[in-house]
Amino acid sequence: MTTELGPEVRPLAFLHGTWRGWGIGAAYGLEDQPLIYRLTIDHDGGPYLRADAEIAIGHTASGVIDAAAGPAEGYRQLEQTALWGVETLYLRIPPAVVGMSEGPIPVEGMLADPAGFVAVLAGNCATHALALESTALHLTPSGANVTALQREFLLNSEDHLLVRARLAAFGEELGEYWTCQLERVLEGCACGAGDECGGCGKDGGCGCCADERGCGCCADEGGCACGGGSSSPQEATEAAGSDRA
């Protein structure tokens, strides 16, 4: 992935990709909530990265989840019950320090949240780590009364990313908001486990997704690679035959 990025964002290349996982969210005295976290960090050739995050409240059939569950395991166990929030974050390295190779590298960020606020952030990245904090916040007339926020990203291994958020809002001091552990999604696999998955149980039931993806779970994100949907392999074959006729 690094070779696809220009020098303006190459120090952030460890973030580039699609990530899935789970974590725990807590907000101002509310009970801890298991969260499903989906994150895509991409670029369009410009001197910045764009990070789109979707966070949802999840639950399991038993009502509990093993705190030691890994990113992929926890993601597969949880079913979404409600949306917690979404946000878009832009990351850039100041032009004056592009090409800097020693020491923490300054990073600037812009975060937009549909709850009615935008944040200007500043921080530093080092080897496989990024920490940002807000330097200014602007609210819409009815926006959430957020007064400070922080974001941290730490690559624990080549394919495991820890993401942490802290928030100050509604008169409360800066405190933990959510912490999630993510796994990089392998190309062509919705759950991120690739050929090692063995099926996550969230596919479309057609039985032929593995012919395209190899893991049997390609419909996890709402689509079937073969186009068979919930039909059986035989029905999909017959439908394809009738189309050709």
Side-chain angles (χ1 to χ4, degrees):
M1 289 183 179
T2 305
T3 57
E4 301 175 4
L5 302 176
E8 300 89 349
V9 291
R10 198 163 292 156
L12 301 171
F14 70 95
L15 297 171
H16 187 220
T18 300
W19 306 84
R20 300 286 184 270
W22 77 285
I24 298 295
Y28 311 122
L30 300 178
E31 291 186 5
D32 290 353
Q33 296 275 5
L35 299 179
I36 299 168
Y37 196 102
R38 304 180 181 99
L39 175 66
T40 300
I41 302 179
D42 206 350
H43 73 108
D44 58 10
Y48 50 81
L49 293 183
R50 170 176 167 160
D52 291 308
E54 179 184 282
I55 309 114
I57 298 172
H59 84 288
T60 64
S62 64
V64 296
I65 185 169
D66 184 358
E73 180 184 357
Y75 182 81
R76 291 195 296 269
Q77 288 182 21
L78 291 169
E79 295 288 343
Q80 181 171 328
T81 60
L83 189 65
W84 173 284
V86 297
E87 63 184 34
T88 296
L89 171 65
Y90 287 93
L91 299 169
R92 52 169 271 164
I93 293 172
V97 298
V98 169
M100 179 178 174
S101 59
E102 296 183 2
I105 299 173
V107 177
E108 300 171 344
M110 286 286 296
L111 183 145
D113 191 303
F117 67 89
V118 294
V120 177
L121 302 105
N124 296 284
C125 74
T127 303
H128 296 165
L130 170 65
L132 298 166
E133 62 180 344
S134 58
T135 59
L137 282 131
H138 297 277
L139 314 178
T140 65
S142 62
N145 186 22
V146 176
T147 54
L149 59 84
Q150 296 176 345
R151 293 288 185 273
E152 296 178 11
F153 301 83
L154 176 63
L155 191 69
N156 293 321
S157 68
E158 182 178 355
D159 295 317
H160 284 186
L161 183 69
L162 180 71
V163 184
R164 178 180 291 117
R166 305 185 77 218
L167 184 75
F170 307 109
E172 298 287 342
E173 295 183 356
L174 189 69
E176 298 297 326
Y177 191 39
W178 45 256
T179 300
C180 294
Q181 51 178 337
L182 312 178
E183 185 168 284
R184 193 188 302 275
V185 175
L186 302 181
E187 185 176 356
C189 178
C191 73
D195 293 339
E196 303 301 321
C197 173
C200 66
K202 295 182 180 180
D203 61 30
C206 70
C208 50
C209 294
D211 294 337
E212 294 290 327
R213 301 287 182 104
C215 69
C217 55
C218 69
D220 183 30
E221 293 300 312
C224 176
C226 67
S230 59
S231 60
S232 68
Q234 180 179 355
E235 289 171 334
T237 302
E238 291 173 354
S242 64
D243 288 342
R244 287 193 294 269

